[in-house]
Amino acid sequence: MTRPPNLLFIMADQLRADYLGCNGHPSIKTPHIDALARRGVNFTRAYCQAPVCGPSRMSFYTGRYAASHGASYNGVPLRVDERTLGDYLRPLGYRVGLVGKTHMKRDDDGMARLGLDPDSSRGVLVSQCGFEPYERDDGLHPDQLANPDLPYNRYLREQGYEGANPWHSVANSAEGNDGEPLSGWYMRHSHLPARVQEAHSETAYTTNRAMDFIEEAGDSPWCLHLSYIKPHWPYMAPAPYHAMYGPEDILPAVRSDAERERPHPVVEAFMGHGESVEFSRDEVRERVVPAYMGLITQLDHHIGRLADFIEAKGLRDDTVIVITSDHGDYLGDHWLGEKELFHEPSARIPMIVVDPRRGADASRGSCDDRLVEAIDLVPTFTDLAGGDSRTLDHILEGRSLTPLIRGESVADWRRYAFSEADYAWRPARMELGLAPDEARAFMVTDGRWKYVHYANYPPQLFDLARDPGEIVDLAHCDDCRTVRGELEAALNEWFRARRLRTTISNAEVERRTGTAHKRGILFGAW
Amino acid sequence: MTRPPNLLFIMADQLRADYLGCNGHPSIKTPHIDALARRGVNFTRAYCQAPVCGPSRMSFYTGRYAASHGASYNGVPLRVDERTLGDYLRPLGYRVGLVGKTHMKRDDDGMARLGLDPDSSRGVLVSQCGFEPYERDDGLHPDQLANPDLPYNRYLREQGYEGANPWHSVANSAEGNDGEPLSGWYMRHSHLPARVQEAHSETAYTTNRAMDFIEEAGDSPWCLHLSYIKPHWPYMAPAPYHAMYGPEDILPAVRSDAERERPHPVVEAFMGHGESVEFSRDEVRERVVPAYMGLITQLDHHIGRLADFIEAKGLRDDTVIVITSDHGDYLGDHWLGEKELFHEPSARIPMIVVDPRRGADASRGSCDDRLVEAIDLVPTFTDLAGGDSRTLDHILEGRSLTPLIRGESVADWRRYAFSEADYAWRPARMELGLAPDEARAFMVTDGRWKYVHYANYPPQLFDLARDPGEIVDLAHCDDCRTVRGELEAALNEWFRARRLRTTISNAEVERRTGTAHKRGILFGAW
């Protein structure tokens, strides 16, 4: 038997699928990611399960939809008994490490109830979403919250940078004419270079730490979740990346006046958020998007550096590489900033899978436009590691991508992809006067049509073929009644088919079916 | 502040709602339960959340629908981090004990993963569904499975009964002409008296043990889940109850030939089960149902004995008593035996709540036909114990009955009740050729109409007002399209509103809404 491959699971944060060269961006430079796409499969129609960091990541790590794992928003603890990737890979002999961000919130109440010490070895794994926290860094360290012992801050100090929180004052701030820091929290500074040298930036440092992990892991199989904070805000790139792009390089905002004139009530409430108001201004887009692009090109550079490192270590042929993102960024499209809703800039994600082994030659260099979901990675990794994800189909809600990667014909690939939102936590909910558990929305797409069900509000429907910009809401179009009904039915079916009986496998159910009599329980016997 | 009341939570097993005198049965004698109903509120339209022991009980104990707690059938472990009644009552100063059955299956994998020792004090509570197992006895002990140290078997031996498993050979067997045991597992023996003396029968013994608990609990507040196995099969009553009723006393079978001529596919598969075939024979009904009725009257006698005991202890005015059941019993109605599907004999349950305190005088002796669900008891008990179930509305899916008990007007009581089935485990699934996770069905009723959604099969619709026997399936009736659509929509809405974000309260969401900026996270700022 051949050795199972290492799994390098790279996630960017807030990286739009269309801001990559291999996905058609006309001006961005991502040569290393593009090269990886040529070495693997580029899934061009991949969706995150929730367009916001925490719940999206919990779906990536559990292989389950957000409503199933329950961590529906940032800061919602993941139930202590939700299984994660590490639960599946460690028994297969893998070291499962983390460098970077997970957005995992520990379930303190659940742990206390069960007497699980968060500092015990089990407790650490459960607290860290199943990853060995080789270096966890969730990447947002405003002065109010910053841990004085943050390893990255220690590192910056070792490089000679000063201050209580150089993450902010150096890596995420620019410098004014008089040497004063200009905070990267303010987008008006996004055209300026960060005060940090590129080689000491977060992206560079995170990459270094990934190399440390790989070096240390040696010959036994590993899975490394390398989870970059960028190009997530603060939108502040170090030189030379801050100046690599200009307003002429950015994609035009996808929006129309009609969207503001007759907005959907929930979208309208989001349009009222500060980030949406700002990103609706051209001045903001022209200053911020070039920085966002610079951060992506910088990320690309370090992914290339890491690929070279892997090659130099002789691991290239033993290492499967996945490149994805937790969600996108509106960047002013649809008069919106940030993410959370379901337009393509927000809900669609990059998903590139490079399997260097011969079995994947059939798909090498191809684009695959079948519907893929973030939750597919747990079964995919499990299968790649030598497990059998089918035995977990009472828990996992994603589908293994391995047959697609091997170029096998798959007759019954999924017809629909889903994504969810719990916007209870945003001012939009207050604006709409909703209770916390009323602020829910659900997206379903069949690739051609996208349907959004909002609790308490009418749905939305877009025709992605004729209207790829998702400008014209067809929910009330009489001609679309059939497709609307079909997608609503698919959504309802999806709810009913949720995997919630997680404590017993389907194979075990098969074994037990109709066996009560064999155990002497003779009900109904005359 | 007055002392919170004791909570005596009595459950019968497989007791149909309509086999009680207070619920209109023309011949059964249940004078003590009827007397309790006169002292409290009789909820005449109460539904279990799953018409089978395990999942129904897990809903009773968690206050959550079956698909939410996940223990969808007998033998499916309840996830280790599902909260149960004890989690809510113990912090309020209650001792929370169990005498009898829970059908709880421990989540061994979940406990092992978290390092929770099943024998630790925490482990025992989690293993026992949150109850202190004062005496747990799930009540089914065929020779193949019987624990030699079963306390009830020890007790029987102390009373002079012999054998390795007197639960079977004495308490649940009759005697032939030559002194040979005739197993109660065979319904052809149901007209004979059990070999056990009534005073040593399971129902008597269980009642004794409840008294022991109450005696021992003393003055601090307690909740006792007194959970009888009877009138669940084996249908075998001790003298004189075995002969108290005859064929002339049983309710006629509610069924029609039309049901067999054009059956719903899933119902048809259930009609093929052995218990359905047997119960469709008059001979079986005429022998079994009188025994079933005898067991109920015996149960009633012991509930009366317990009520007297409570009065003698001076606890009557301090003790809230609830009498309910986990589900009903088809007893041949609709050509079916057992339970599992959603006709009234199976899904409707008795629900009598006796609150002796002055605040409940307004409802005393009344019948209340508002829709009540099994999951309502956890919030009700929590509120009665001095807690506030509203703070748990991110977990609990039931509604507190306390305003109804107090006779307060409630403007927005629930419009629909729900019940679920996972029949993966039954031969019906094999007959239908379904995979384990395709064998699901869901019921919704608004009190007037009952709608059943089956995965993979057409729905059913009954008009409970015009057709209380649920004989005529109106699912395909054109006139009923509107109501069918309304109930289907209610079911879909119910799925979407499931409480799955259990790790953070709605009040905490309110506190956090829109606060990121206050923590220094200034996204979208110019």
Side-chain angles (χ1 to χ4, degrees):
Chain A
M1 199 175 139
T2 56
R3 179 190 180 286
N6 301 314
L7 303 168
L8 178 57
F9 170 21
I10 302 175
M11 189 177 288
D13 197 330
Q14 199 138 331
L15 171 61
R16 282 171 63 140
D18 58 348
Y19 271 71
L20 292 176
C22 58
N23 285 342
H25 195 290
S27 54
I28 203 165
K29 294 179 197 77
T30 52
H32 300 98
I33 294 173
D34 300 348
L36 285 166
R38 284 193 300 272
R39 283 176 46 201
V41 191
N42 183 3
F43 293 100
T44 55
R45 213 171 254 162
Y47 288 93
C48 63
Q49 265 50 75
V52 66
C53 302
S56 172
R57 287 160 180 269
M58 296 309 110
S59 285
F60 268 109
Y61 307 147
T62 61
R64 290 157 58 74
Y65 291 107
S68 297
H69 63 61
S72 63
Y73 200 74
N74 296 338
V76 177
L78 185 70
R79 288 176 63 157
V80 69
D81 71 351
E82 276 289 324
R83 263 71 165 175
T84 51
L85 181 59
D87 288 299
Y88 306 119
L89 295 187
R90 259 186 299 272
L92 299 170
Y94 274 68
R95 182 173 175 190
V96 183
L98 165 72
V99 169
K101 168 170 172 170
T102 61
H103 223 118
M104 169 71 180
K105 171 75 176 172
R106 189 169 76 191
D107 179 8
D108 284 323
D109 291 345
M111 293 178 87
R113 175 173 171 270
L114 300 173
L116 180 56
D117 177 359
D119 295 326
S120 66
S121 56
R122 273 197 184 86
V124 168
L125 288 176
V126 169
S127 304
Q128 296 292 348
C129 212
F131 295 108
E132 171 201 335
Y134 189 78
E135 179 155 340
R136 176 169 174 181
D137 184 344
D138 270 9
L140 288 183
H141 308 285
D143 294 343
Q144 292 96 316
L145 303 178
N147 170 0
D149 288 329
L150 179 74
Y152 179 55
N153 269 345
R154 283 207 309 263
Y155 167 82
L156 288 174
R157 280 187 216 106
E158 284 161 17
Q159 309 311 315
Y161 301 99
E162 289 176 5
N165 182 19
W167 174 88
H168 176 224
S169 59
V170 174
N172 285 283
S173 285
E175 197 162 286
N177 291 334
D178 300 323
E180 76 280 16
L182 301 174
S183 170
W185 288 116
Y186 297 100
M187 299 191 290
R188 65 178 183 269
H189 303 140
S190 291
H191 61 303
L192 299 171
R195 296 170 97 190
V196 76
Q197 286 184 46
E198 198 282 328
H200 305 147
S201 67
E202 288 173 281
T203 298
Y205 172 77
T206 304
T207 308
N208 296 343
R209 296 296 287 143
M211 293 176 182
D212 293 344
F213 175 89
I214 293 169
E215 192 83 58
E216 204 180 289
D219 287 336
S220 48
W222 48 261
C223 171
L224 172 63
H225 182 39
L226 168 56
S227 187
Y228 292 100
I229 181 66
K230 297 297 183 187
H232 190 286
W233 40 260
Y235 302 107
M236 177 131 294
Y241 297 99
H242 76 292
M244 192 166 279
Y245 301 101
E248 67 285 3
D249 294 308
I250 72 177
L251 296 178
V254 177
R255 65 191 187 199
S256 84
D257 289 337
E259 288 182 298
R260 285 211 279 202
E261 283 154 17
R262 271 184 248 140
H264 186 281
V266 176
V267 180
E268 182 177 26
F270 272 87
M271 286 176 177
H273 284 173
E275 69 274 12
S276 299
V277 172
E278 292 297 355
F279 267 106
S280 295
R281 295 168 48 211
D282 289 341
E283 179 189 25
V284 174
R285 296 188 74 251
E286 289 172 4
R287 194 165 288 189
V288 173
V289 181
Y292 178 76
M293 293 172 66
L295 288 167
I296 294 168
T297 295
Q298 185 198 3
L299 177 68
D300 180 82
H301 167 75
H302 288 282
I303 287 176
R305 189 163 70 92
L306 184 60
D308 290 346
F309 171 84
I310 285 170
E311 181 147 7
K313 298 283 295 176
L315 296 173
R316 175 179 152 146
D317 294 340
D318 292 322
T319 303
V320 170
I321 302 176
V322 169
I323 300 173
T324 186
S325 176
D326 55 351
H327 52 76
D329 190 327
Y330 273 111
L331 297 175
D333 288 356
H334 308 286
W335 311 101
L336 294 166
E338 277 277 87
K339 53 259 180 178
E340 309 224 7
L341 299 178
F342 302 110
H343 299 90
E344 297 284 284
S346 173
R348 194 158 75 88
I349 52 174
M351 181 68 77
I352 295 165
V353 181
V354 185
D355 183 341
R357 298 169 305 164
R358 193 164 303 166
D361 284 350
S363 70
R364 205 169 302 291
S366 66
C367 287
D368 191 325
D369 66 357
R370 280 174 284 193
L371 290 166
V372 164
E373 298 184 312
I375 55 176
D376 295 346
L377 289 184
V378 169
T380 302
F381 288 144
T382 299
D383 289 345
L384 289 171
D388 182 354
S389 65
R390 290 168 305 179
T391 64
L392 300 166
D393 65 356
H394 59 301
I395 301 175
L396 301 183
E397 301 183 313
R399 296 188 57 151
S400 178
L401 299 174
T402 51
L404 280 55
I405 295 165
R406 289 195 298 261
E408 296 169 3
S409 78
V410 181
D412 63 339
W413 192 247
R414 68 162 60 84
R415 290 182 58 198
Y416 304 102
F418 301 90
S419 196
E420 301 173 61
D422 171 6
Y423 61 95
W425 319 71
R426 299 305 314 282
R429 174 178 70 81
M430 310 299 280
E431 177 71 22
L432 294 164
L434 299 173
D437 50 14
E438 294 178 324
R440 307 291 294 274
F442 305 93
M443 178 208 89
V444 52
T445 179
D446 63 2
R448 161 76 190 266
W449 298 90
K450 184 186 285 184
Y451 180 81
V452 182
H453 174 100
Y454 294 93
N456 305 294
Y457 294 98
Q460 288 187 298
L461 178 69
F462 298 101
D463 181 345
L464 300 178
R466 293 195 192 169
D467 175 28
E470 303 168 283
I471 298 295
V472 185
D473 181 355
L474 298 167
H476 302 286
C477 160
D478 274 349
D479 291 348
C480 299
R481 282 179 64 169
T482 304
V483 67
R484 204 175 63 221
E486 186 189 312
L487 290 166
E488 181 77 26
L491 190 64
N492 290 327
E493 172 61 27
W494 171 75
F495 273 109
R496 291 190 293 261
R498 205 57 70 69
R499 298 286 188 267
L500 295 168
R501 188 254 294 139
T502 56
T503 55
I504 208 161
S505 72
N506 285 319
E508 182 62 21
V509 177
E510 290 279 16
R511 275 191 291 277
R512 293 194 198 173
T513 301
T515 61
H517 287 66
K518 292 184 191 164
R519 283 173 283 132
I521 298 180
L522 303 179
F523 58 92
W526 177 247
Chain B
M1 202 176 136
T2 57
R3 177 190 179 289
N6 302 313
L7 303 167
L8 178 57
F9 170 21
I10 302 175
M11 188 177 289
D13 196 330
Q14 200 138 332
L15 173 60
R16 281 171 63 138
D18 58 348
Y19 271 71
L20 293 176
C22 59
N23 284 342
H25 195 289
S27 56
I28 203 165
K29 294 179 196 77
T30 52
H32 300 100
I33 294 172
D34 300 349
L36 285 166
R38 284 193 298 274
R39 284 174 47 201
V41 190
N42 183 3
F43 292 101
T44 55
R45 211 171 256 161
Y47 289 93
C48 64
Q49 265 49 77
V52 67
C53 302
S56 173
R57 287 160 182 270
M58 296 309 110
S59 285
F60 268 108
Y61 308 147
T62 61
R64 291 157 57 75
Y65 291 106
S68 297
H69 62 62
S72 63
Y73 200 73
N74 296 337
V76 177
L78 185 71
R79 288 175 64 157
V80 69
D81 72 349
E82 276 288 324
R83 263 72 167 175
T84 51
L85 181 59
D87 288 300
Y88 306 119
L89 295 187
R90 259 187 297 275
L92 299 170
Y94 274 68
R95 182 172 175 190
V96 183
L98 165 71
V99 170
K101 168 170 173 170
T102 60
H103 222 119
M104 168 73 181
K105 172 76 176 171
R106 189 170 76 192
D107 179 7
D108 284 324
D109 291 345
M111 292 177 88
R113 173 172 173 271
L114 299 173
L116 179 56
D117 177 358
D119 296 324
S120 66
S121 57
R122 272 198 185 87
V124 168
L125 289 176
V126 169
S127 303
Q128 297 290 347
C129 212
F131 294 108
E132 170 200 335
Y134 188 77
E135 179 156 340
R136 175 168 174 182
D137 184 344
D138 270 9
L140 288 183
H141 308 286
D143 294 343
Q144 291 96 317
L145 302 178
N147 170 1
D149 288 328
L150 179 73
Y152 179 55
N153 270 344
R154 285 206 310 261
Y155 167 81
L156 288 174
R157 280 188 215 106
E158 284 161 17
Q159 310 310 314
Y161 301 100
E162 289 176 4
N165 183 19
W167 174 87
H168 176 224
S169 58
V170 174
N172 285 284
S173 285
E175 197 162 285
N177 291 333
D178 301 322
E180 78 279 16
L182 301 174
S183 170
W185 286 117
Y186 298 100
M187 299 191 291
R188 64 179 184 269
H189 303 141
S190 290
H191 61 303
L192 298 171
R195 296 171 96 190
V196 77
Q197 284 185 47
E198 197 283 326
H200 305 146
S201 68
E202 287 174 282
T203 298
Y205 172 77
T206 305
T207 308
N208 295 344
R209 296 295 288 145
M211 292 176 182
D212 294 343
F213 175 89
I214 293 168
E215 194 82 57
E216 204 181 290
D219 286 336
S220 49
W222 49 261
C223 171
L224 173 63
H225 181 39
L226 168 56
S227 186
Y228 292 101
I229 180 65
K230 297 297 183 187
H232 190 285
W233 39 260
Y235 302 108
M236 177 129 295
Y241 296 101
H242 76 291
M244 193 166 278
Y245 301 101
E248 67 284 4
D249 294 310
I250 72 176
L251 296 177
V254 177
R255 64 194 187 198
S256 84
D257 290 336
E259 288 181 297
R260 284 211 280 201
E261 284 154 17
R262 268 184 249 139
H264 185 280
V266 176
V267 181
E268 182 177 27
F270 272 86
M271 285 175 178
H273 284 174
E275 69 274 12
S276 298
V277 172
E278 294 296 356
F279 268 105
S280 295
R281 295 168 49 213
D282 288 342
E283 180 189 24
V284 173
R285 297 189 74 251
E286 289 172 4
R287 195 164 286 189
V288 174
V289 181
Y292 179 76
M293 293 172 67
L295 288 166
I296 294 167
T297 294
Q298 186 198 3
L299 177 69
D300 180 82
H301 167 74
H302 288 283
I303 287 175
R305 190 163 70 92
L306 185 61
D308 290 346
F309 171 84
I310 286 169
E311 181 147 7
K313 299 284 295 176
L315 296 172
R316 175 178 152 144
D317 294 341
D318 291 322
T319 304
V320 171
I321 301 176
V322 169
I323 300 173
T324 187
S325 176
D326 54 352
H327 52 75
D329 190 328
Y330 273 111
L331 297 175
D333 288 356
H334 309 286
W335 313 101
L336 294 166
E338 278 278 88
K339 52 260 180 180
E340 309 223 8
L341 299 179
F342 303 110
H343 299 91
E344 296 285 282
S346 173
R348 194 158 75 88
I349 53 174
M351 183 67 78
I352 295 165
V353 181
V354 184
D355 184 342
R357 299 168 305 163
R358 192 164 303 164
D361 284 351
S363 69
R364 204 169 304 290
S366 66
C367 288
D368 191 324
D369 66 357
R370 280 174 284 192
L371 291 166
V372 164
E373 299 184 310
I375 55 176
D376 295 345
L377 288 184
V378 169
T380 301
F381 289 144
T382 300
D383 288 344
L384 288 170
D388 181 354
S389 66
R390 290 169 304 180
T391 63
L392 300 166
D393 66 356
H394 60 301
I395 300 176
L396 301 183
E397 301 183 312
R399 295 189 57 151
S400 177
L401 300 173
T402 51
L404 280 56
I405 295 166
R406 288 195 299 259
E408 295 169 4
S409 77
V410 179
D412 63 339
W413 192 249
R414 69 162 59 84
R415 290 182 58 198
Y416 304 102
F418 301 89
S419 196
E420 301 173 61
D422 171 7
Y423 61 95
W425 318 70
R426 300 305 315 281
R429 173 178 70 80
M430 310 297 280
E431 177 69 22
L432 293 165
L434 300 173
D437 49 14
E438 293 177 325
R440 307 292 294 276
F442 305 92
M443 179 209 87
V444 53
T445 178
D446 63 1
R448 162 76 189 267
W449 299 89
K450 184 186 286 183
Y451 179 83
V452 182
H453 174 100
Y454 295 93
N456 305 294
Y457 295 99
Q460 289 187 297
L461 179 70
F462 299 102
D463 181 344
L464 300 177
R466 294 194 191 171
D467 174 28
E470 302 169 282
I471 298 294
V472 185
D473 182 354
L474 297 168
H476 302 286
C477 159
D478 274 349
D479 291 348
C480 298
R481 283 180 61 170
T482 305
V483 68
R484 205 175 62 222
E486 187 188 310
L487 290 166
E488 180 79 26
L491 191 64
N492 290 327
E493 172 61 26
W494 171 75
F495 273 108
R496 291 190 292 262
R498 205 57 68 69
R499 296 287 189 266
L500 296 167
R501 190 253 294 140
T502 56
T503 53
I504 207 161
S505 72
N506 286 318
E508 182 62 23
V509 177
E510 290 279 15
R511 274 192 291 278
R512 293 195 197 173
T513 301
T515 60
H517 286 65
K518 291 183 190 163
R519 284 174 280 131
I521 299 180
L522 302 180
F523 58 90
W526 177 249

